[in-house]
Protein backbone atom coordinates (compact mmCIF):
# COMPACT_ATOMS: atom_id res chain seq x y z
CA UNK A 1 0.00 0.00 0.00
CA UNK A 2 1.13 3.56 -0.65
CA UNK A 3 2.27 6.07 1.94
CA UNK A 4 -0.18 8.07 3.99
CA UNK A 5 1.42 11.37 2.98
CA UNK A 6 3.05 12.63 -0.17
CA UNK A 7 6.66 13.70 -0.23
CA UNK A 8 6.97 16.53 -2.71
CA UNK A 9 9.77 16.26 -5.25
CA UNK A 10 12.15 19.20 -5.56
CA UNK A 11 11.08 21.63 -8.25
CA UNK A 12 13.32 23.85 -10.32
CA UNK A 13 10.48 26.37 -10.67
CA UNK A 14 9.55 26.51 -7.00
CA UNK A 15 6.09 25.14 -7.85
CA UNK A 16 5.13 21.75 -6.46
CA UNK A 17 2.47 19.66 -8.11
CA UNK A 18 1.45 16.10 -7.36
CA UNK A 19 0.64 13.82 -10.29
CA UNK A 20 -2.24 11.37 -10.08
CA UNK A 21 -2.98 8.56 -12.54
CA UNK A 22 -6.70 7.77 -12.80
CA UNK A 23 -7.40 4.12 -13.63
CA UNK A 24 -10.36 3.12 -15.72
CA UNK A 25 -10.97 -0.17 -13.94
CA UNK A 26 -13.10 -3.04 -15.20
CA UNK A 27 -16.22 -2.33 -17.23
CA UNK A 28 -19.59 -3.97 -17.46
CA UNK A 29 -21.37 -3.27 -20.75
CA UNK A 30 -24.59 -4.15 -22.48
CA UNK A 31 -24.24 -6.21 -25.63
CA UNK A 32 -24.97 -5.88 -29.29
CA UNK A 33 -28.50 -5.40 -30.64
CA UNK A 34 -30.31 -7.00 -33.58
CA UNK A 35 -29.42 -5.15 -36.75
CA UNK A 36 -27.19 -2.84 -34.71
CA UNK A 37 -30.23 -0.65 -34.09
CA UNK A 38 -31.08 1.03 -30.75
CA UNK A 39 -33.98 -0.42 -28.78
CA UNK A 40 -36.91 1.63 -27.46
CA UNK A 41 -37.56 0.71 -23.82
CA UNK A 42 -40.81 1.74 -22.15
CA UNK A 43 -41.45 2.42 -18.50
CA UNK A 44 -43.10 -0.59 -16.83
CA UNK A 45 -42.03 -3.02 -19.58
CA UNK A 46 -40.40 -6.23 -18.38
CA UNK A 47 -37.14 -7.34 -19.97
CA UNK A 48 -34.73 -10.26 -19.51
CA UNK A 49 -31.01 -9.63 -19.15
CA UNK A 50 -28.80 -12.56 -20.13
CA UNK A 51 -25.14 -13.13 -19.37
CA UNK A 52 -24.79 -14.93 -22.72
CA UNK A 53 -22.92 -12.24 -24.62
CA UNK A 54 -23.57 -13.90 -27.99
CA UNK A 55 -27.25 -12.87 -27.83
CA UNK A 56 -28.29 -9.99 -30.06
CA UNK A 57 -30.69 -7.95 -28.00
CA UNK A 58 -34.13 -6.50 -28.68
CA UNK A 59 -36.89 -4.87 -26.61
CA UNK A 60 -37.48 -8.15 -24.71
CA UNK A 61 -33.97 -9.48 -24.08
CA UNK A 62 -30.56 -7.86 -23.81
CA UNK A 63 -27.22 -9.17 -22.60
CA UNK A 64 -24.44 -7.87 -20.38
CA UNK A 65 -20.76 -8.76 -20.07
CA UNK A 66 -20.81 -9.52 -16.33
CA UNK A 67 -21.05 -13.32 -16.04
CA UNK A 68 -22.00 -13.20 -12.35
CA UNK A 69 -24.88 -10.74 -12.78
CA UNK A 70 -27.59 -13.20 -11.71
CA UNK A 71 -25.56 -14.07 -8.60
CA UNK A 72 -24.65 -10.49 -7.67
CA UNK A 73 -28.07 -8.84 -7.91
CA UNK A 74 -31.29 -9.84 -6.17
CA UNK A 75 -34.94 -8.82 -6.43
CA UNK A 76 -35.16 -5.13 -5.59
CA UNK A 77 -31.64 -4.36 -6.87
CA UNK A 78 -31.21 -1.60 -9.41
CA UNK A 79 -29.26 -1.91 -12.66
CA UNK A 80 -28.29 1.37 -14.33
CA UNK A 81 -27.29 1.62 -17.99
CA UNK A 82 -26.04 4.33 -20.32
CA UNK A 83 -24.64 6.67 -17.65
CA UNK A 84 -27.72 6.09 -15.49
CA UNK A 85 -30.23 7.24 -18.11
CA UNK A 86 -31.85 3.79 -18.04
CA UNK A 87 -32.90 2.14 -14.79
CA UNK A 88 -33.98 -1.46 -14.32
CA UNK A 89 -35.52 -2.89 -11.14
CA UNK A 90 -34.61 -6.56 -10.64
CA UNK A 91 -37.67 -8.81 -10.30
CA UNK A 92 -36.07 -12.27 -10.28
CA UNK A 93 -32.77 -14.05 -10.92
CA UNK A 94 -32.06 -17.43 -12.48
CA UNK A 95 -28.51 -18.15 -11.28
CA UNK A 96 -28.27 -21.42 -13.22
CA UNK A 97 -29.15 -19.94 -16.62
CA UNK A 98 -27.57 -16.53 -15.91
CA UNK A 99 -30.83 -14.63 -16.48
CA UNK A 100 -32.19 -11.61 -14.66
CA UNK A 101 -35.80 -10.51 -15.13
CA UNK A 102 -36.27 -6.74 -14.72
CA UNK A 103 -38.80 -3.96 -15.07
CA UNK A 104 -37.71 -0.84 -16.92
CA UNK A 105 -38.29 2.16 -14.66
CA UNK A 106 -38.22 4.82 -17.39
CA UNK A 107 -38.80 5.28 -21.09
CA UNK A 108 -35.50 5.53 -22.96
CA UNK A 109 -33.54 4.34 -25.97
CA UNK A 110 -30.78 1.78 -25.41
CA UNK A 111 -27.89 1.59 -27.84
CA UNK A 112 -25.21 -1.07 -28.17
CA UNK A 113 -22.33 -1.55 -25.72
CA UNK A 114 -23.54 0.94 -23.10
CA UNK A 115 -21.95 1.09 -19.66
CA UNK A 116 -23.61 -0.63 -16.72
CA UNK A 117 -23.53 0.28 -13.04
CA UNK A 118 -24.71 -1.98 -10.22
CA UNK A 119 -25.24 0.27 -7.17
CA UNK A 120 -24.71 -1.54 -3.88
CA UNK A 121 -23.43 -4.73 -5.53
CA UNK A 122 -19.93 -5.97 -4.77
CA UNK A 123 -18.78 -6.77 -8.28
CA UNK A 124 -16.45 -9.75 -8.54
CA UNK A 125 -14.01 -8.18 -10.99
CA UNK A 126 -10.34 -7.25 -10.46
CA UNK A 127 -9.64 -3.68 -9.34
CA UNK A 128 -6.97 -3.31 -12.04
CA UNK A 129 -7.38 -4.39 -15.65
CA UNK A 130 -4.37 -5.42 -17.72
CA UNK A 131 -4.57 -2.00 -19.40
CA UNK A 132 -4.49 -0.28 -15.99
CA UNK A 133 -1.39 -2.28 -15.03
CA UNK A 134 0.30 -1.33 -18.32
CA UNK A 135 -0.58 2.35 -17.81
CA UNK A 136 0.80 2.34 -14.27
CA UNK A 137 4.00 0.42 -14.95
CA UNK A 138 4.80 1.78 -18.44
CA UNK A 139 3.73 5.40 -17.96
CA UNK A 140 3.03 6.14 -14.31
CA UNK A 141 6.13 4.70 -12.69
CA UNK A 142 8.59 6.12 -15.28
CA UNK A 143 6.91 9.53 -14.88
CA UNK A 144 7.13 9.46 -11.09
CA UNK A 145 3.41 9.63 -10.31
CA UNK A 146 2.50 10.42 -6.73
CA UNK A 147 -0.98 8.85 -6.56
CA UNK A 148 -3.22 6.34 -8.27
CA UNK A 149 -7.02 6.81 -8.20
CA UNK A 150 -8.60 3.34 -8.24
CA UNK A 151 -12.07 2.38 -9.43
CA UNK A 152 -14.04 -0.57 -8.04
CA UNK A 153 -12.29 -0.92 -4.68
CA UNK A 154 -14.59 -2.97 -2.47
CA UNK A 155 -12.36 -4.14 0.37
CA UNK A 156 -8.93 -3.52 1.87
CA UNK A 157 -7.49 -6.58 0.17
CA UNK A 158 -8.11 -4.86 -3.20
CA UNK A 159 -5.61 -2.17 -2.20
CA UNK A 160 -3.16 -4.80 -1.00
CA UNK A 161 -3.42 -6.54 -4.39
CA UNK A 162 -2.67 -3.28 -6.19
CA UNK A 163 0.28 -2.71 -3.86
CA UNK A 164 1.62 -6.16 -4.78
CA UNK A 165 1.28 -5.29 -8.49
CA UNK A 166 3.36 -2.15 -7.88
CA UNK A 167 6.13 -4.08 -6.12
CA UNK A 168 8.86 -1.77 -4.81
CA UNK A 169 7.03 1.28 -6.20
CA UNK A 170 4.19 0.78 -3.68
CA UNK A 171 6.31 2.58 -1.06
CA UNK A 172 6.24 5.88 -2.94
CA UNK A 173 2.78 5.91 -4.58
CA UNK A 174 -0.38 6.80 -2.65
CA UNK A 175 -3.44 4.68 -3.52
CA UNK A 176 -6.85 6.39 -3.42
CA UNK A 177 -10.22 4.66 -3.73
CA UNK A 178 -12.72 6.48 -5.94
CA UNK A 179 -16.08 6.34 -4.21
Amino acid sequence: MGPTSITRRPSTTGIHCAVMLDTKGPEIRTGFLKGGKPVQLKQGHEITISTDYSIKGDENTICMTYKKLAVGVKPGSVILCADGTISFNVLSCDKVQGLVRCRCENTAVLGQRKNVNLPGVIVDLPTLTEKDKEDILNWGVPNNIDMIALSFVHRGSDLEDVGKSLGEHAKSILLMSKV
Side-chain angles (χ1 to χ4, degrees), residues 58-125:
D58 58 24
E59 65 278 352
N60 296 311
T61 304
I62 61 171
C63 65
M64 291 184 182
T65 57
Y66 185 45
K67 289 289 184 193
K68 295 183 178 178
L69 181 69
V71 176
V73 299
K74 60 183 187 251
S77 295
V78 173
I79 299 173
L80 300 173
C81 298
D83 297 323
T85 60
I86 300 170
S87 178
F88 296 108
N89 186 359
V90 176
L91 302 173
S92 64
C93 304
D94 183 333
K95 295 175 185 178
V96 175
Q97 292 188 357
L99 300 174
V100 177
R101 189 76 179 153
C102 298
R103 181 180 55 248
C104 189
E105 296 300 320
N106 57 317
T107 298
V109 175
L110 175 66
Q112 300 189 119
R113 305 256 317 126
K114 295 301 178 185
N115 63 339
V116 175
N117 190 319
L118 305 172
V121 175
I122 295 178
V123 179
D124 187 15
L125 292 171

Side-chain angles (χ1 to χ4, degrees), residues 118-137:
L118 305 172
V121 175
I122 295 178
V123 179
D124 187 15
L125 292 171
T127 302
L128 292 179
T129 64
E130 289 305 313
K131 172 80 166 88
D132 293 332
K133 290 176 188 175
E134 287 176 28
D135 290 346
I136 292 167
L137 296 174

Side-chain angles (χ1 to χ4, degrees), residues 6-19 144 146:
I6 298 169
T7 304
R8 304 279 185 208
R9 292 188 176 81
S11 170
T12 56
T13 63
I15 298 172
H16 302 284
C17 179
V19 176
N144 298 314
D146 299 290

